[in-house]
Coordinates of all heavy atoms in Angstrom, one line a residue:
M1 N -14.9 -10.4 -8.4 CA -13.5 -10.1 -7.9 C -12.6 -11.2 -8.2 O -12.9 -12.3 -7.9 CB -13.7 -9.7 -6.4 CG -12.5 -9.1 -5.8 SD -12.4 -7.3 -6.2 CE -13.7 -6.6 -5.2
N2 N -11.4 -10.9 -8.8 CA -10.4 -11.9 -9.0 C -9.3 -11.7 -8.0 O -8.9 -10.5 -7.6 CB -9.8 -11.6 -10.4 CG -10.8 -12.1 -11.4 OD1 -11.6 -12.9 -11.2 ND2 -10.7 -11.4 -12.6
W3 N -8.6 -12.8 -7.5 CA -7.5 -12.6 -6.6 C -6.3 -12.9 -7.5 O -6.1 -13.9 -8.0 CB -7.7 -13.6 -5.4 CG -8.7 -13.2 -4.5 CD1 -10.0 -13.6 -4.6 CD2 -8.7 -12.3 -3.4 NE1 -10.7 -12.9 -3.6 CE2 -9.9 -12.2 -2.8 CE3 -7.6 -11.6 -2.8 CZ2 -10.1 -11.4 -1.7 CZ3 -7.8 -10.8 -1.7 CH2 -9.1 -10.8 -1.2
I4 N -5.4 -11.9 -7.4 CA -4.1 -12.0 -8.1 C -2.9 -12.1 -7.3 O -2.8 -11.3 -6.3 CB -3.9 -10.7 -9.1 CG1 -5.2 -10.4 -9.9 CG2 -2.6 -10.8 -9.9 CD1 -5.3 -11.3 -11.0
R5 N -2.0 -13.1 -7.5 CA -0.9 -13.3 -6.7 C 0.1 -12.2 -7.0 O 0.4 -11.9 -8.1 CB -0.2 -14.7 -6.9 CG 0.9 -14.8 -6.0 CD 1.8 -16.1 -6.3 NE 2.9 -16.2 -5.4 CZ 4.0 -15.5 -5.4 NH1 4.2 -14.5 -6.3 NH2 5.0 -15.7 -4.5
I6 N 0.5 -11.4 -5.9 CA 1.3 -10.2 -6.2 C 2.7 -10.2 -5.5 O 3.6 -9.5 -5.9 CB 0.6 -8.9 -5.7 CG1 0.3 -8.9 -4.2 CG2 -0.7 -8.7 -6.5 CD1 -0.1 -7.6 -3.7
A7 N 2.9 -11.1 -4.6 CA 4.3 -11.1 -3.9 C 4.2 -12.3 -2.9 O 3.3 -13.0 -2.8 CB 4.4 -9.9 -3.1
S8 N 5.4 -12.5 -2.4 CA 5.6 -13.5 -1.3 C 5.8 -12.8 -0.1 O 6.3 -11.8 0.1 CB 6.9 -14.3 -1.5 OG 6.9 -15.0 -2.8
A9 N 5.2 -13.4 1.0 CA 5.3 -12.7 2.3 C 6.7 -12.4 2.8 O 7.0 -11.4 3.4 CB 4.5 -13.7 3.4
G10 N 7.6 -13.4 2.4 CA 9.0 -13.2 2.8 C 9.7 -12.0 2.0 O 10.8 -11.7 2.3
D11 N 9.1 -11.4 1.1 CA 9.6 -10.3 0.4 C 9.7 -9.0 1.2 O 10.5 -8.0 0.9 CB 8.8 -9.9 -0.9 CG 8.8 -11.0 -2.0 OD1 9.7 -11.8 -1.9 OD2 8.0 -10.9 -2.9
L12 N 8.9 -8.9 2.3 CA 8.8 -7.7 3.1 C 9.1 -8.0 4.5 O 8.6 -9.0 5.1 CB 7.5 -7.1 2.9 CG 7.2 -6.3 1.7 CD1 5.7 -6.1 1.7 CD2 7.9 -5.0 1.7
A13 N 9.9 -7.2 5.2 CA 10.0 -7.2 6.7 C 8.9 -6.3 7.3 O 8.4 -5.4 6.6 CB 11.5 -6.8 7.1
D14 N 8.7 -6.4 8.6 CA 7.9 -5.4 9.3 C 8.3 -4.0 9.0 O 9.6 -3.6 8.9 CB 7.8 -5.6 10.7 CG 6.7 -6.7 11.1 OD1 5.7 -6.9 10.3 OD2 6.7 -7.3 12.2
D15 N 7.4 -3.1 8.8 CA 7.6 -1.6 8.5 C 8.3 -1.3 7.3 O 9.0 -0.4 7.0 CB 8.3 -1.0 9.7 CG 7.5 -0.9 10.9 OD1 6.3 -1.0 10.9 OD2 8.1 -0.9 12.1
E16 N 8.2 -2.3 6.3 CA 8.7 -2.1 4.9 C 7.5 -1.8 4.0 O 6.4 -2.3 4.2 CB 9.5 -3.3 4.5 CG 10.9 -3.2 5.0 CD 11.8 -4.3 4.3 OE1 11.3 -5.1 3.5 OE2 13.0 -4.2 4.5
V17 N 7.9 -1.2 2.9 CA 7.0 -0.9 1.8 C 7.6 -1.2 0.4 O 8.8 -1.0 0.4 CB 6.4 0.5 1.8 CG1 7.4 1.6 1.8 CG2 5.4 0.8 0.7
K18 N 6.8 -1.8 -0.4 CA 7.4 -2.2 -1.7 C 6.3 -1.8 -2.8 O 5.2 -2.0 -2.7 CB 7.7 -3.7 -1.7 CG 7.9 -4.5 -2.9 CD 7.8 -5.9 -2.5 CE 7.8 -6.8 -3.7 NZ 9.0 -7.1 -4.4
S19 N 6.9 -1.4 -4.0 CA 6.0 -1.1 -5.1 C 5.7 -2.4 -5.8 O 6.7 -3.2 -6.2 CB 6.6 -0.1 -6.0 OG 5.8 0.2 -7.1
V20 N 4.5 -2.6 -6.3 CA 4.1 -3.8 -7.1 C 3.3 -3.4 -8.2 O 2.3 -2.6 -8.0 CB 3.3 -4.9 -6.2 CG1 3.0 -6.1 -6.9 CG2 4.1 -5.2 -4.9
N21 N 3.5 -3.9 -9.4 CA 2.6 -3.6 -10.5 C 1.6 -4.7 -10.7 O 2.0 -5.9 -10.9 CB 3.5 -3.6 -11.8 CG 2.7 -3.2 -13.0 OD1 1.6 -3.5 -13.2 ND2 3.4 -2.5 -13.9
V22 N 0.3 -4.4 -10.5 CA -0.7 -5.3 -10.5 C -1.6 -5.0 -11.7 O -2.4 -4.1 -11.7 CB -1.5 -5.3 -9.2 CG1 -2.7 -6.4 -9.3 CG2 -0.7 -5.5 -7.9
Q23 N -1.4 -5.7 -12.7 CA -2.1 -5.5 -14.0 C -2.1 -4.0 -14.4 O -3.2 -3.5 -14.8 CB -3.6 -6.0 -13.9 CG -3.6 -7.5 -13.7 CD -5.0 -8.1 -13.7 OE1 -5.9 -7.5 -13.3 NE2 -5.0 -9.4 -14.0
G24 N -1.0 -3.4 -14.4 CA -0.8 -2.0 -14.8 C -1.1 -1.0 -13.8 O -0.9 0.2 -13.9
L25 N -1.6 -1.4 -12.6 CA -1.9 -0.5 -11.5 C -0.7 -0.6 -10.5 O -0.3 -1.7 -10.0 CB -3.1 -0.9 -10.7 CG -3.5 -0.1 -9.4 CD1 -3.8 1.3 -9.8 CD2 -4.6 -0.8 -8.7
R26 N -0.1 0.6 -10.2 CA 1.1 0.7 -9.2 C 0.5 0.7 -7.9 O -0.3 1.6 -7.4 CB 1.9 1.8 -9.4 CG 2.9 1.7 -10.6 CD 3.8 2.9 -10.7 NE 4.8 2.7 -9.6 CZ 6.1 3.0 -9.8 NH1 6.5 3.6 -10.9 NH2 7.0 2.7 -8.9
V27 N 0.9 -0.3 -7.0 CA 0.3 -0.5 -5.7 C 1.5 -0.5 -4.7 O 2.6 -1.0 -5.0 CB -0.5 -1.9 -5.5 CG1 -0.8 -2.3 -4.2 CG2 -1.7 -1.9 -6.5
A28 N 1.3 0.2 -3.6 CA 2.2 0.1 -2.5 C 1.8 -1.0 -1.5 O 0.7 -1.0 -1.0 CB 2.3 1.5 -1.8
L29 N 2.6 -2.0 -1.3 CA 2.5 -3.1 -0.5 C 3.2 -2.9 0.8 O 4.4 -2.7 0.8 CB 2.8 -4.5 -1.1 CG 2.6 -5.7 -0.4 CD1 1.2 -6.1 -0.1 CD2 3.3 -6.9 -1.1
Y30 N 2.5 -3.1 2.0 CA 3.2 -2.7 3.2 C 3.1 -4.0 4.2 O 2.1 -4.9 4.1 CB 2.4 -1.7 4.0 CG 2.1 -0.5 3.2 CD1 1.0 -0.3 2.4 CD2 3.0 0.7 3.3 CE1 0.7 0.8 1.8 CE2 2.7 1.8 2.6 CZ 1.6 1.9 1.8 OH 1.3 3.0 1.1
R31 N 4.1 -4.1 5.1 CA 3.9 -5.1 6.1 C 4.0 -4.5 7.5 O 5.0 -3.7 7.7 CB 5.0 -6.2 6.0 CG 5.0 -7.2 7.1 CD 6.1 -8.3 6.9 NE 6.1 -9.3 8.1 CZ 6.7 -10.4 7.9 NH1 7.0 -10.9 6.8 NH2 6.7 -11.2 9.0
I32 N 3.0 -4.6 8.3 CA 2.9 -4.0 9.6 C 2.5 -5.0 10.7 O 1.5 -5.7 10.5 CB 1.9 -2.9 9.7 CG1 1.9 -1.9 8.6 CG2 1.7 -2.1 11.1 CD1 3.2 -1.0 8.7
D33 N 3.4 -5.2 11.6 CA 3.2 -6.3 12.7 C 2.8 -7.6 12.0 O 1.9 -8.3 12.6 CB 2.1 -5.8 13.7 CG 2.5 -4.6 14.5 OD1 3.7 -4.4 14.7 OD2 1.6 -3.7 14.8
G34 N 3.5 -8.0 11.0 CA 3.2 -9.3 10.3 C 2.0 -9.4 9.5 O 1.7 -10.4 8.9
E35 N 1.3 -8.3 9.4 CA 0.1 -8.3 8.5 C 0.4 -7.4 7.3 O 1.2 -6.5 7.3 CB -1.2 -7.6 9.2 CG -1.7 -8.5 10.3 CD -3.0 -7.9 10.8 OE1 -4.0 -7.9 10.1 OE2 -2.9 -7.3 11.9
F36 N -0.3 -7.7 6.2 CA 0.0 -7.1 4.9 C -1.3 -6.2 4.5 O -2.4 -6.5 4.7 CB 0.2 -8.2 3.8 CG 1.5 -8.9 4.1 CD1 1.5 -10.0 4.9 CD2 2.6 -8.5 3.6 CE1 2.6 -10.8 5.2 CE2 3.8 -9.1 3.9 CZ 3.8 -10.2 4.7
F37 N -0.9 -5.0 3.9 CA -1.9 -4.0 3.5 C -1.3 -3.4 2.1 O -0.2 -3.5 1.9 CB -1.9 -2.9 4.5 CG -2.4 -3.4 5.9 CD1 -1.4 -3.7 6.8 CD2 -3.7 -3.6 6.2 CE1 -1.7 -4.2 8.2 CE2 -4.0 -4.1 7.5 CZ -3.0 -4.4 8.4
A38 N -2.4 -2.9 1.4 CA -2.0 -2.2 0.2 C -2.7 -0.9 -0.1 O -4.0 -0.8 0.3 CB -2.2 -3.2 -1.0
T39 N -2.1 0.0 -0.7 CA -2.8 1.2 -1.1 C -2.3 1.6 -2.6 O -1.3 1.0 -3.0 CB -2.5 2.5 -0.2 OG1 -1.1 2.8 -0.5 CG2 -2.6 2.2 1.2
D40 N -3.0 2.5 -3.2 CA -2.5 3.0 -4.4 C -1.1 3.5 -4.1 O -0.8 4.1 -3.0 CB -3.3 4.1 -4.9 CG -4.6 3.6 -5.8 OD1 -4.7 2.4 -5.9 OD2 -5.4 4.5 -6.1
D41 N -0.1 3.5 -5.1 CA 1.2 3.9 -4.9 C 1.4 5.4 -5.1 O 2.5 6.0 -4.7 CB 2.1 3.1 -5.8 CG 3.7 3.2 -5.3 OD1 3.8 3.6 -4.2 OD2 4.5 2.8 -6.1
R42 N 0.4 6.1 -5.6 CA 0.5 7.5 -6.0 C -0.1 8.4 -4.8 O -1.3 8.2 -4.4 CB -0.3 7.9 -7.2 CG 0.4 7.2 -8.5 CD 1.5 8.2 -9.0 NE 2.1 7.5 -10.1 CZ 3.4 7.9 -10.6 NH1 4.0 8.8 -10.0 NH2 3.9 7.3 -11.6
C43 N 0.7 9.2 -4.4 CA 0.1 10.2 -3.3 C -1.1 11.0 -3.9 O -1.1 11.3 -5.1 CB 1.2 11.2 -2.9 SG 0.6 12.2 -1.5
T44 N -2.1 11.3 -3.2 CA -3.3 12.0 -3.7 C -3.0 13.5 -3.7 O -3.8 14.2 -4.3 CB -4.4 11.7 -2.7 OG1 -4.1 12.2 -1.4 CG2 -4.8 10.2 -2.7
H45 N -1.8 14.0 -3.2 CA -1.5 15.3 -3.3 C -0.9 15.7 -4.6 O -1.4 16.5 -5.3 CB -0.7 15.8 -2.1 CG -0.2 17.2 -2.1 ND1 1.1 17.6 -2.1 CD2 -1.0 18.3 -2.1 CE1 1.1 18.9 -2.2 NE2 -0.1 19.4 -2.2
A46 N 0.3 15.2 -4.9 CA 1.0 15.6 -6.1 C 1.7 14.4 -6.8 O 2.7 14.5 -7.4 CB 1.9 16.8 -5.9
E47 N 1.1 13.2 -6.5 CA 1.5 12.0 -7.2 C 3.0 11.5 -7.0 O 3.6 10.8 -7.8 CB 1.4 12.2 -8.8 CG -0.1 12.5 -9.1 CD -0.4 12.3 -10.6 OE1 0.5 12.1 -11.4 OE2 -1.6 12.4 -10.9
A48 N 3.6 11.8 -5.8 CA 4.8 11.1 -5.5 C 4.5 9.7 -5.2 O 3.4 9.3 -5.0 CB 5.4 11.8 -4.2
L49 N 5.6 8.8 -5.2 CA 5.4 7.4 -4.9 C 5.4 7.1 -3.5 O 6.4 7.4 -2.8 CB 6.5 6.6 -5.7 CG 6.5 6.7 -7.2 CD1 7.6 5.9 -7.8 CD2 5.1 6.2 -7.7
M50 N 4.3 6.6 -3.0 CA 4.3 6.2 -1.5 C 5.3 5.1 -1.2 O 5.7 5.1 -0.1 CB 2.9 5.7 -1.2 CG 1.7 6.7 -1.5 SD 2.1 8.4 -1.0 CE 2.2 8.2 0.8
S51 N 5.6 4.2 -2.1 CA 6.5 3.2 -1.9 C 8.0 3.7 -1.7 O 8.9 3.0 -1.3 CB 6.6 2.2 -3.1 OG 6.8 2.9 -4.3
E52 N 8.2 5.1 -1.9 CA 9.5 5.7 -1.6 C 9.4 6.5 -0.3 O 10.3 7.2 0.0 CB 9.9 6.5 -2.8 CG 10.2 5.7 -4.0 CD 10.6 6.5 -5.2 OE1 10.7 7.7 -5.1 OE2 10.9 5.9 -6.3
G53 N 8.3 6.4 0.4 CA 8.1 7.0 1.7 C 8.6 6.4 2.8 O 9.4 5.3 2.6
Y54 N 8.1 6.8 4.0 CA 8.7 6.3 5.3 C 7.6 5.7 6.1 O 6.5 6.4 6.3 CB 9.4 7.5 6.0 CG 10.4 8.1 5.2 CD1 10.1 9.3 4.5 CD2 11.7 7.6 5.0 CE1 11.0 9.9 3.7 CE2 12.6 8.2 4.2 CZ 12.3 9.4 3.5 OH 13.2 9.9 2.7
V55 N 7.7 4.5 6.5 CA 6.7 3.8 7.4 C 7.1 4.0 8.8 O 8.2 3.7 9.2 CB 6.7 2.3 7.0 CG1 5.7 1.5 8.0 CG2 6.3 2.1 5.6
E56 N 6.1 4.4 9.6 CA 6.2 4.7 11.0 C 4.9 4.6 11.7 O 4.0 5.3 11.3 CB 7.0 6.1 11.3 CG 7.4 6.2 12.7 CD 8.2 7.5 13.0 OE1 7.8 8.5 12.4 OE2 9.2 7.4 13.7
D57 N 4.9 3.9 12.8 CA 3.7 3.8 13.6 C 2.4 3.5 12.8 O 1.3 4.1 13.0 CB 3.5 5.1 14.4 CG 4.6 5.4 15.3 OD1 5.2 4.4 15.8 OD2 4.9 6.5 15.7
G58 N 2.5 2.6 11.9 CA 1.3 2.3 11.0 C 0.9 3.3 10.0 O -0.2 3.2 9.4
C59 N 1.7 4.3 9.8 CA 1.4 5.4 8.8 C 2.6 5.3 7.7 O 3.6 5.0 8.0 CB 1.3 6.7 9.4 SG -0.1 6.9 10.5
I60 N 2.2 5.8 6.6 CA 3.2 6.2 5.5 C 3.3 7.6 5.4 O 2.3 8.3 5.2 CB 2.9 5.4 4.2 CG1 3.8 5.7 3.1 CG2 1.4 5.8 3.7 CD1 5.1 4.9 3.2
E61 N 4.5 8.1 5.4 CA 4.8 9.5 5.2 C 5.3 9.7 3.7 O 6.3 9.1 3.3 CB 5.8 10.1 6.1 CG 6.1 11.5 5.9 CD 7.1 12.1 7.0 OE1 6.8 12.2 8.1 OE2 8.3 12.2 6.5
C62 N 4.6 10.6 3.0 CA 5.0 10.9 1.6 C 6.4 11.4 1.5 O 6.8 12.4 2.3 CB 4.0 11.9 1.0 SG 4.4 12.3 -0.7
P63 N 7.3 11.0 0.6 CA 8.7 11.5 0.5 C 8.7 12.9 0.0 O 9.8 13.6 0.1 CB 9.3 10.5 -0.4 CG 8.1 10.0 -1.3 CD 7.0 9.9 -0.4
L64 N 7.6 13.5 -0.6 CA 7.8 14.8 -1.3 C 7.3 15.9 -0.4 O 8.1 16.9 -0.2 CB 6.9 14.7 -2.5 CG 7.2 15.9 -3.6 CD1 8.7 15.9 -4.0 CD2 6.3 15.7 -4.8
H65 N 6.2 15.9 0.2 CA 5.8 17.0 1.0 C 5.3 16.5 2.4 O 4.7 17.2 3.2 CB 4.6 17.7 0.4 CG 4.8 18.2 -1.0 ND1 4.1 17.7 -2.1 CD2 5.8 19.1 -1.5 CE1 4.6 18.3 -3.2 NE2 5.6 19.1 -2.8
Q66 N 5.6 15.2 2.8 CA 5.4 14.7 4.1 C 4.0 14.6 4.6 O 3.7 14.6 5.8 CB 6.2 15.6 5.1 CG 7.7 15.4 5.1 CD 8.3 16.0 3.8 OE1 8.1 17.2 3.6 NE2 9.1 15.3 3.0
A67 N 3.0 14.5 3.7 CA 1.6 14.2 4.2 C 1.7 12.8 4.7 O 2.6 12.0 4.2 CB 0.6 14.2 3.0
R68 N 0.8 12.4 5.7 CA 0.8 11.1 6.3 C -0.5 10.5 6.1 O -1.5 11.1 6.2 CB 1.3 11.2 7.8 CG 2.7 11.4 8.1 CD 2.9 11.7 9.5 NE 2.5 10.8 10.4 CZ 3.3 9.8 10.9 NH1 4.4 9.6 10.5 NH2 2.8 8.8 11.7
F69 N -0.5 9.2 5.9 CA -1.7 8.4 5.7 C -1.6 7.2 6.6 O -0.6 6.5 6.7 CB -1.8 7.8 4.3 CG -1.9 9.0 3.2 CD1 -0.7 9.5 2.7 CD2 -3.0 9.5 2.7 CE1 -0.6 10.5 1.8 CE2 -3.0 10.5 1.8 CZ -1.8 11.1 1.3
D70 N -2.8 6.8 7.1 CA -3.0 5.5 7.8 C -2.9 4.4 6.9 O -3.7 4.4 5.9 CB -4.2 5.5 8.7 CG -4.4 4.3 9.5 OD1 -4.3 3.1 9.0 OD2 -4.5 4.5 10.7
I71 N -1.9 3.5 7.0 CA -1.8 2.4 6.1 C -2.9 1.4 6.0 O -3.4 1.0 5.0 CB -0.4 1.7 6.4 CG1 0.7 2.6 6.0 CG2 -0.3 0.3 5.7 CD1 2.1 2.1 6.5
R72 N -3.6 1.2 7.2 CA -4.7 0.2 7.3 C -6.0 0.8 6.6 O -6.7 0.0 6.0 CB -5.0 -0.1 8.7 CG -3.9 -1.0 9.4 CD -4.2 -1.2 10.8 NE -3.2 -2.0 11.5 CZ -2.0 -1.6 11.9 NH1 -1.6 -0.4 11.8 NH2 -1.2 -2.6 12.5
T73 N -6.2 2.1 6.7 CA -7.4 2.7 6.3 C -7.2 3.6 5.0 O -8.3 3.9 4.4 CB -8.1 3.5 7.3 OG1 -7.3 4.6 7.7 CG2 -8.3 2.6 8.6
G74 N -6.0 4.1 4.8 CA -5.8 5.1 3.8 C -6.1 6.5 4.1 O -6.0 7.4 3.3
K75 N -6.7 6.7 5.4 CA -7.0 8.0 5.7 C -5.9 8.9 5.9 O -4.9 8.7 6.5 CB -7.8 7.9 7.2 CG -9.0 7.1 7.1 CD -10.2 7.9 6.7 CE -11.5 7.1 6.8 NZ -12.5 7.4 5.8
V76 N -6.1 10.2 5.4 CA -5.2 11.2 5.6 C -5.0 11.6 7.0 O -6.1 11.8 7.7 CB -5.6 12.5 4.8 CG1 -4.7 13.7 5.1 CG2 -5.7 12.3 3.4
Q77 N -3.8 11.7 7.5 CA -3.5 12.2 8.9 C -3.0 13.6 9.0 O -3.2 14.1 10.0 CB -2.4 11.2 9.5 CG -2.8 9.8 9.5 CD -4.1 9.5 10.2 OE1 -4.1 9.7 11.5 NE2 -5.1 8.9 9.6
C78 N -2.5 14.1 8.0 CA -2.0 15.5 8.0 C -1.8 16.1 6.7 O -1.7 15.3 5.6 CB -0.7 15.7 8.9 SG 0.8 15.0 8.1
A79 N -1.8 17.5 6.6 CA -1.7 18.2 5.4 C -0.2 17.9 4.9 O 0.6 17.6 5.6 CB -1.9 19.7 5.6
P80 N 0.0 18.2 3.5 CA -0.9 19.0 2.6 C -2.0 18.1 1.8 O -2.8 18.7 1.2 CB 0.0 19.6 1.6 CG 1.2 18.7 1.5 CD 1.4 18.1 2.9
A81 N -1.8 16.8 2.0 CA -2.9 16.0 1.3 C -4.2 16.2 2.0 O -4.3 16.3 3.2 CB -2.5 14.5 1.2
T82 N -5.3 16.1 1.2 CA -6.7 16.2 1.8 C -7.5 15.0 1.4 O -8.6 14.9 2.0 CB -7.4 17.5 1.3 OG1 -7.4 17.5 -0.1 CG2 -6.6 18.8 1.8
Q83 N -7.1 14.2 0.4 CA -7.8 13.1 -0.1 C -7.2 11.8 0.4 O -6.0 11.6 0.4 CB -7.9 13.2 -1.6 CG -8.8 12.2 -2.2 CD -8.7 12.3 -3.7 OE1 -8.4 13.3 -4.3 NE2 -9.2 11.2 -4.4
D84 N -8.0 10.8 0.9 CA -7.5 9.5 1.3 C -6.9 8.8 0.2 O -7.2 8.9 -1.0 CB -8.6 8.7 2.0 CG -9.2 9.4 3.2 OD1 -8.7 10.3 3.7 OD2 -10.4 9.0 3.6
L85 N -5.9 7.9 0.5 CA -5.5 6.9 -0.4 C -6.4 5.8 -0.5 O -7.0 5.3 0.4 CB -4.2 6.3 0.1 CG -2.9 7.1 0.0 CD1 -1.8 6.3 0.8 CD2 -2.5 7.2 -1.4
R86 N -6.6 5.3 -1.7 CA -7.4 4.1 -2.0 C -6.7 2.9 -1.4 O -5.5 2.7 -1.7 CB -7.7 3.9 -3.4 CG -8.6 2.7 -3.8 CD -9.1 2.8 -5.2 NE -8.0 2.7 -6.1 CZ -8.1 2.3 -7.4 NH1 -9.2 1.9 -7.9 NH2 -7.0 2.3 -8.1
T87 N -7.4 2.0 -0.7 CA -6.8 0.8 -0.2 C -7.2 -0.3 -1.0 O -8.3 -0.3 -1.7 CB -7.2 0.5 1.3 OG1 -8.6 0.5 1.4 CG2 -6.7 1.7 2.2
H88 N -6.5 -1.5 -0.9 CA -6.7 -2.7 -1.7 C -6.8 -3.9 -0.7 O -5.8 -3.9 0.2 CB -5.7 -3.0 -2.8 CG -5.7 -1.8 -3.7 ND1 -6.7 -1.7 -4.7 CD2 -4.9 -0.7 -3.8 CE1 -6.4 -0.6 -5.4 NE2 -5.3 0.0 -4.9
E89 N -7.7 -4.8 -0.9 CA -7.7 -6.0 0.0 C -6.6 -7.0 -0.2 O -6.4 -7.4 -1.4 CB -9.1 -6.6 -0.1 CG -9.5 -7.6 0.9 CD -10.8 -8.1 0.8 OE1 -11.6 -7.6 0.0 OE2 -11.2 -9.2 1.4
I90 N -5.9 -7.4 0.7 CA -4.8 -8.4 0.7 C -5.2 -9.8 1.4 O -5.7 -9.7 2.5 CB -3.5 -7.9 1.2 CG1 -3.1 -6.6 0.5 CG2 -2.4 -9.0 1.1 CD1 -2.7 -6.9 -1.0
R91 N -4.9 -10.8 0.8 CA -5.2 -12.1 1.4 C -3.9 -12.9 1.3 O -3.1 -12.9 0.4 CB -6.3 -12.9 0.6 CG -6.7 -14.2 1.3 CD -7.9 -14.7 0.6 NE -7.6 -15.4 -0.6 CZ -8.5 -15.8 -1.5 NH1 -9.7 -15.5 -1.5 NH2 -8.1 -16.3 -2.7
R92 N -3.5 -13.6 2.5 CA -2.4 -14.4 2.6 C -2.8 -15.8 2.6 O -3.6 -16.3 3.3 CB -1.5 -14.0 3.8 CG -0.3 -14.8 4.0 CD 0.6 -14.4 5.2 NE 1.8 -15.2 5.2 CZ 2.7 -15.0 6.1 NH1 2.6 -14.0 7.0 NH2 3.8 -15.7 6.1
E93 N -2.1 -16.6 1.8 CA -2.2 -18.1 1.8 C -0.8 -18.7 1.9 O -0.1 -18.6 0.9 CB -2.9 -18.6 0.5 CG -4.5 -18.3 0.6 CD -5.1 -18.8 -0.6 OE1 -4.6 -19.6 -1.4 OE2 -6.3 -18.3 -0.9
A94 N -0.3 -19.2 3.0 CA 1.0 -19.7 3.3 C 2.0 -18.5 2.9 O 1.8 -17.4 3.6 CB 1.3 -20.9 2.4
D95 N 2.8 -18.6 2.0 CA 3.8 -17.5 1.8 C 3.3 -16.7 0.6 O 4.0 -15.7 0.2 CB 5.2 -18.1 1.4 CG 6.3 -17.0 1.4 OD1 6.3 -16.3 2.4 OD2 7.0 -17.0 0.4
D96 N 2.2 -16.9 0.0 CA 1.7 -16.1 -1.1 C 0.7 -15.1 -0.7 O -0.2 -15.3 0.1 CB 1.0 -17.1 -2.2 CG 2.0 -18.1 -2.8 OD1 3.1 -17.7 -3.0 OD2 1.6 -19.3 -2.9
L97 N 0.9 -13.8 -1.3 CA 0.0 -12.7 -1.0 C -0.8 -12.5 -2.4 O -0.3 -12.3 -3.4 CB 0.8 -11.5 -0.7 CG 1.7 -11.6 0.5 CD1 2.5 -10.3 0.6 CD2 1.0 -11.9 1.8
Y98 N -2.1 -12.3 -2.1 CA -3.1 -12.1 -3.2 C -3.8 -10.8 -3.0 O -4.1 -10.4 -1.9 CB -4.1 -13.2 -3.3 CG -3.5 -14.6 -3.6 CD1 -3.0 -15.4 -2.6 CD2 -3.4 -15.0 -5.0 CE1 -2.4 -16.6 -2.9 CE2 -2.9 -16.2 -5.2 CZ -2.3 -17.1 -4.2 OH -1.8 -18.2 -4.5
M99 N -4.0 -10.0 -4.1 CA -4.8 -8.8 -4.0 C -6.0 -8.9 -4.7 O -6.1 -9.6 -5.8 CB -4.0 -7.6 -4.6 CG -4.6 -6.3 -4.3 SD -3.6 -4.9 -5.0 CE -4.5 -4.5 -6.5
A100 N -7.2 -8.4 -4.2 CA -8.5 -8.4 -4.8 C -8.4 -7.4 -6.0 O -8.2 -6.2 -5.8 CB -9.5 -8.1 -3.8
V101 N -8.8 -7.9 -7.1 CA -8.8 -6.9 -8.4 C -10.3 -7.1 -9.0 O -10.7 -8.2 -9.1 CB -7.8 -7.3 -9.4 CG1 -7.9 -6.5 -10.6 CG2 -6.4 -7.2 -8.7
P102 N -10.9 -5.9 -9.3 CA -12.3 -6.1 -9.9 C -12.1 -7.0 -11.1 O -11.2 -6.9 -11.9 CB -12.6 -4.7 -10.2 CG -11.8 -3.9 -9.3 CD -10.5 -4.6 -9.1
A103 N -13.2 -7.7 -11.4 CA -13.2 -8.7 -12.5 C -13.0 -8.1 -13.8 O -12.5 -8.6 -14.8 CB -14.5 -9.5 -12.5
D104 N -13.4 -6.8 -13.9 CA -13.3 -6.0 -15.3 C -12.1 -5.3 -15.4 O -11.9 -4.5 -16.3 CB -14.6 -5.2 -15.4 CG -14.7 -4.1 -14.3 OD1 -13.9 -4.1 -13.3 OD2 -15.6 -3.3 -14.4
A105 N -11.1 -5.3 -14.4 CA -9.9 -4.6 -14.4 C -8.9 -5.3 -15.4 O -9.0 -6.4 -15.7 CB -9.3 -4.5 -13.0
Ligands
FES1 FE1 2.6 13.7 -1.3 FE2 2.8 16.2 -1.9 S1 3.1 14.6 -3.2 S2 2.3 15.2 0.0

């Protein structure tokens, strides 16, 4: 596993989401209660961008058909999506945020 620096902690306020390109993979990076989380940026329903959705109560709501996912776990909370979002591990070192990327990615 490689750790790739993807952003600064100061880039995001609480309850914000931002799109980050990590070696060609579009990732949605979130800040919730001062902690950072990441999921794939594509909705599992019809490929809308989660980074254009709405963060509320630890969930992200898809901007297209309003499916909701738990940001910490990626679990689907309501239809029309049925498949969970893939999550990515984030590590913070001072102001730098790193994402775990498979060594062969
Ligand atoms: Fe996200 Fe349809 S594209 S719920």
